[in-house]
Amino acid sequence: MKRMHIHVGVDDIAESVAFYSALFGAEPDKVKDDYAKWMLDDPRLNFAISTRSGKQGVEHLGIQVENADELSEMRKRISQADIDVFDEGETVCCYAESDKTWLQDPAGIAWETYQTMADAQLFSQTSETSDSACCTPVSIPVVAAKSDCCEPSDNDKSGCC
């Protein structure tokens, strides 16, 4: 069974852990100085926060699978849809060993589909310093955003979404 993944960039881990723990009614499954993750069943969600993205807000989205067959199915589905991808393969990211494929949606949001194989002691395989960026690869094929629909205009401060 697949699980939705959301990774949000935050400035303050402790403050954000308190907020999201209250929102989800659960403590995080993993907490580090620069990272926290909740593996929720209701809703079925892998929600992660970190101070490494360099920005606040949604850093990337994803679909986490439970096994290699599901990952193969996701990669086949993406391939058949003729979507540009970056197959990262096995890597260490977010304190986990994973097998990943990255893509970008038409709005410019990075998505990953991945299988986690094990916990890791380092945030990423490229650096263990706290100032290294989140694991989103810079080589994801870029797709131009098609609309600024949700930006409020001068006449409508609520936005359209």
Side-chain angles (χ1 to χ4, degrees):
M1 179 178 282
K2 296 167 191 72
R3 183 182 301 264
M4 182 69 185
H5 169 63
I6 301 172
H7 188 116
V8 173
V10 301
D11 280 337
D12 186 309
I13 289 293
E15 177 183 50
S16 297
V17 164
F19 173 84
Y20 290 114
S21 292
L23 179 66
F24 298 140
E27 293 299 313
D29 294 277
K30 184 184 284 189
V31 179
K32 303 287 184 177
D33 291 340
D34 56 354
Y35 178 83
K37 176 176 74 175
W38 290 257
M39 295 294 284
L40 304 169
D41 288 325
D42 185 17
R44 189 153 168 81
L45 175 67
N46 171 340
F47 185 85
I49 59 175
S50 77
T51 58
R52 292 180 176 251
S53 72
K55 68 176 185 175
Q56 287 190 331
V58 174
E59 207 283 323
H60 66 270
L61 303 172
I63 299 175
Q64 181 181 16
V65 301
E66 291 184 3
N67 57 55
D69 289 339
E70 286 183 345
L71 185 58
S72 178
E73 172 200 335
M74 290 297 299
R75 286 175 169 157
K76 182 178 178 184
R77 187 183 313 168
I78 293 164
S79 167
Q80 289 174 340
D82 197 28
I83 298 171
D84 289 332
V85 300
F86 171 70
D87 282 316
E88 187 171 18
E90 291 188 18
T91 188
V92 174
C93 178
C94 297
Y95 299 99
E97 296 176 16
S98 301
D99 187 358
K100 297 183 177 215
T101 296
W102 289 91
L103 53 147
Q104 189 177 64
D105 74 10
I109 298 171
W111 280 80
E112 64 179 325
T113 183
Y114 66 100
Q115 175 191 1
T116 300
M117 282 89 72
D119 278 342
Q121 296 303 309
L122 300 176
F123 184 81
S124 77
Q125 65 189 17
T126 58
S127 172
E128 63 179 285
T129 62
S130 62
D131 60 349
S132 63
C134 191
C135 301
T136 309
V138 294
S139 58
I140 298 173
V142 176
V143 179
K146 293 184 180 177
S147 172
D148 59 355
C149 168
C150 293
E151 294 297 320
S153 68
D154 291 336
N155 299 331
D156 177 16
K157 301 295 183 200
S158 66
C160 65
C161 297

